[in-house]
Amino acid sequence: MKLDDKIAASLSLPDGKTDFIEWDATLPAFGVRIREGGSRTWIVQYAIKGKQRRMSLGRVAGMKCVKARDMAGDVLANVRLGKDPQGEKIEARQRPKTLTAGEVIKLYLKRQESRLKPRSYSEQKRHLETVWKPLHSHQIDTITRNEIARQLTKLKAVNVFMADHARVDLSSMFNWAMKEGLCGDLETNPVFHTHRPLTEPVSRDRVLITDKGDPAELREVWNALLDDDFGRFVKLLLLTAQRRTEIADLRWTEIDMDEKDPLIDLPASRMKNGLPHEVPLTDAALAVLPERREGRDHLFGRGGGGFSGFSKAKRELDQRILSARLKIDPEAKPMPRWTLHDLRRTASTIMHDDELNIEPRHVEAVLAHVGHKAGVAGTYNKAKYRKPKRRALTLWSEYVLSAVEGKAAKIIPLKTA
């Protein structure tokens, strides 16, 4: 007989039977299985490589006959193509359960914590735990390129640079997890071939001084800073010409307030080159230091670390710069894209320039670059250049203060040796 919903529901076990299958007349491999106790299940049966397979399609009470027959047809079609649907189902049940993306991320971050500097680890942790949280509940081997691409599109609308960095961190996590065998049968990193949010290369030659030496942009930035944590941080960053993390994570225990020679004394563990570094504090730099807060060693930030929230603070700063421009010109455009690192590049450019004429090796010493001490030179040259660095930063501070006040700098260039 041709099975339908009514027939399947009315069938009963033959006398003396505890298990019985009624086969469909139009699709003989399709049937309904009745067991003692009343359970009724749609099934399909097939043979592959001499073995008989019987596969459950679903309970009669929860599935219409038409749908079950279609499913049986699909199974038999796959068998004709050489596949073994029931065998694959059994193999999947026996296969060790793969981890979720969230579980793999925890393992990856545990490994990264000892390999990265605190600031880099913090950023990577934020990207993987917060930005990619929508993927955490997914089995790691089921995440698709399409899912990642959709999330990147959402992230790009918020912050293209954050989206770009988050993509890199997710890709690195997948590369590691695949090599560790944590991704099941996944053969290709699903991040591969997704579009990079940041399609244009980031400029590495941006300075806030025009080719004609006009420091107008530098002045705009300085004058738009507020007398708050971020404002003082940026001013100190500019006046010392150091890297962002070196000032953002600065501690009072790293500052020597000696009356004659105040300076920042950064340990090797905080430096990119892995070497200790001294940064003389000029009068201008001392003037922007924040007041010391009871119970906190960090100069900037809240909680247990240094300053954070750069993206939000930078966006607000850029908006204040634009507002100031609009007061002068109603059709003014925002300042061309710039980064906090451009302040360091600007300092280096001006200190090397003829206007200040500071010896390159002294500028490099201020910046904690080891190029002038590479190879044999580094073996024998252990000079800290404390006095030349102080003179260089004093000249730079005078230049900055003159620039932001719109006055001509009263600078006497250093004589070269």
Side-chain angles (χ1 to χ4, degrees):
M1 71 179 75
K2 181 178 179 179
L3 294 175
D4 59 24
D5 295 324
K6 285 185 177 181
I7 292 174
S10 65
L11 289 171
S12 59
L13 281 170
D15 292 341
K17 297 279 188 178
T18 60
D19 192 330
F20 174 73
I21 299 174
E22 182 71 39
W23 297 105
D24 184 59
T26 58
L27 188 62
F30 169 60
V32 60
R33 184 177 189 178
I34 309 168
R35 288 181 173 178
E36 190 175 30
S39 72
R40 296 164 190 268
T41 310
W42 300 113
I43 64 165
V44 62
Q45 184 169 296
Y46 61 90
I48 189 163
K49 295 181 180 178
K51 293 183 179 180
Q52 289 291 325
R53 294 286 199 192
R54 188 174 291 166
M55 184 174 178
S56 173
L57 302 173
R59 295 175 64 84
V60 169
M63 182 181 293
K64 295 289 185 181
C65 182
V66 172
K67 182 177 180 181
R69 184 180 280 105
D70 287 343
M71 289 177 64
D74 290 340
V75 169
L76 295 173
N78 281 323
V79 171
R80 286 193 291 273
L81 293 173
K83 296 182 180 180
D84 181 8
Q86 179 64 5
E88 293 172 0
K89 192 175 178 181
I90 294 171
E91 185 181 334
R93 283 201 301 265
Q94 295 174 341
R95 190 185 302 139
K97 179 176 176 289
T98 55
L99 300 174
T100 64
E103 291 170 331
V104 174
I105 284 171
K106 284 183 180 178
L107 295 173
Y108 178 67
L109 288 175
K110 185 176 181 180
R111 176 240 193 192
Q112 293 296 86
E113 189 171 14
S114 61
R115 301 179 73 252
L116 301 177
K117 291 187 176 181
R119 178 65 65 177
S120 298
Y121 173 73
S122 177
E123 286 294 295
Q124 193 169 86
K125 186 173 187 289
R126 181 173 65 84
H127 290 154
L128 293 175
E129 288 189 344
T130 304
V131 174
W132 293 110
K133 190 173 182 178
L135 301 181
H136 283 195
S137 61
H138 298 204
Q139 299 299 117
I140 190 72
D141 60 345
T142 66
I143 295 174
T144 65
R145 183 186 306 163
N146 180 262
E147 289 175 304
I148 294 170
R150 288 203 309 268
Q151 182 66 4
L152 283 172
T153 299
K154 295 177 183 177
L155 297 174
K156 183 178 178 180
V158 177
N159 186 322
V160 65
F161 301 101
M162 178 269 288
D164 199 63
H165 294 159
R167 178 184 178 277
V168 170
D169 287 337
L170 185 68
S171 182
S172 297
M173 184 278 290
F174 267 106
N175 283 340
W176 173 82
M178 291 176 71
K179 291 176 181 178
E180 289 290 313
L182 300 176
C183 293
D185 295 330
L186 195 66
E187 296 182 356
T188 304
N189 185 332
V191 183
F192 286 175
H193 304 301
T194 57
H195 289 297
R196 282 198 61 180
L198 189 60
T199 55
E200 296 181 4
V202 177
S203 172
R204 296 188 178 275
D205 58 5
R206 176 86 160 95
V207 293
L208 304 186
I209 306 290
T210 68
D211 292 340
K212 296 181 180 180
D214 182 5
E217 287 187 329
L218 189 65
R219 182 162 53 251
E220 285 185 280
V221 171
W222 183 281
N223 290 335
L225 293 169
L226 304 178
D227 187 18
D228 58 7
D229 226 24
F230 182 68
R232 289 179 176 272
F233 154 71
V234 174
K235 288 180 179 179
L236 188 61
L237 189 70
L238 175 62
L239 292 168
T240 59
Q242 301 308 297
R243 296 181 182 87
R244 188 181 79 171
T245 55
E246 292 158 5
I247 300 302
D249 293 334
L250 190 59
R251 298 171 179 267
W252 287 106
T253 48
E254 295 170 341
I255 295 180
D256 182 349
M257 296 299 286
D258 181 273
E259 289 185 11
K260 294 183 178 179
D261 194 20
L263 54 83
I264 296 171
D265 190 0
L266 295 170
S269 60
R270 290 245 286 117
M271 296 302 298
K272 184 177 181 179
N273 60 21
L275 299 172
H277 180 47
E278 291 183 350
V279 185
L281 286 169
T282 63
D283 290 342
L286 289 170
V288 301
L289 293 181
E291 292 185 4
R292 187 162 189 171
R293 288 169 284 186
E294 187 176 352
R296 271 189 61 79
D297 190 27
H298 286 94
L299 274 71
F300 306 105
R302 295 287 187 274
F307 188 85
S308 60
F310 294 101
S311 296
K312 181 175 182 291
K314 173 65 164 47
R315 285 197 301 272
E316 292 174 351
L317 172 59
D318 286 335
Q319 185 56 51
R320 289 196 298 273
I321 293 172
L322 176 58
S323 296
R325 287 186 169 196
L326 291 172
K327 289 179 181 179
I328 300 172
D329 179 2
E331 298 185 5
K333 295 181 179 180
M335 180 183 289
R337 183 185 172 272
W338 65 283
T339 68
L340 292 176
H341 192 75
D342 294 336
L343 300 177
R344 177 175 163 88
R345 188 179 297 107
T346 300
S348 174
T349 300
I350 296 301
M351 283 192 279
H352 276 104
D353 195 68
D354 291 342
E355 187 169 1
L356 299 191
N357 198 28
I358 300 170
E359 281 193 56
R361 59 185 174 134
H362 296 159
V363 177
E364 298 301 292
V366 167
L367 300 174
H369 287 166
V370 296
H372 66 293
K373 288 188 177 183
V376 176
T379 303
Y380 295 98
N381 185 0
K382 301 300 182 183
K384 293 184 177 180
Y385 297 117
R386 185 177 288 183
K387 288 184 178 180
K389 285 196 293 187
R390 179 169 293 282
R391 288 195 294 269
L393 284 173
T394 297
L395 285 174
W396 166 238
S397 294
E398 290 176 357
Y399 175 91
V400 170
L401 294 181
S402 296
V404 300
E405 293 170 0
K407 300 176 182 178
K410 296 179 181 179
I411 297 171
I412 301 175
L414 292 173
K415 293 181 180 179
T416 55

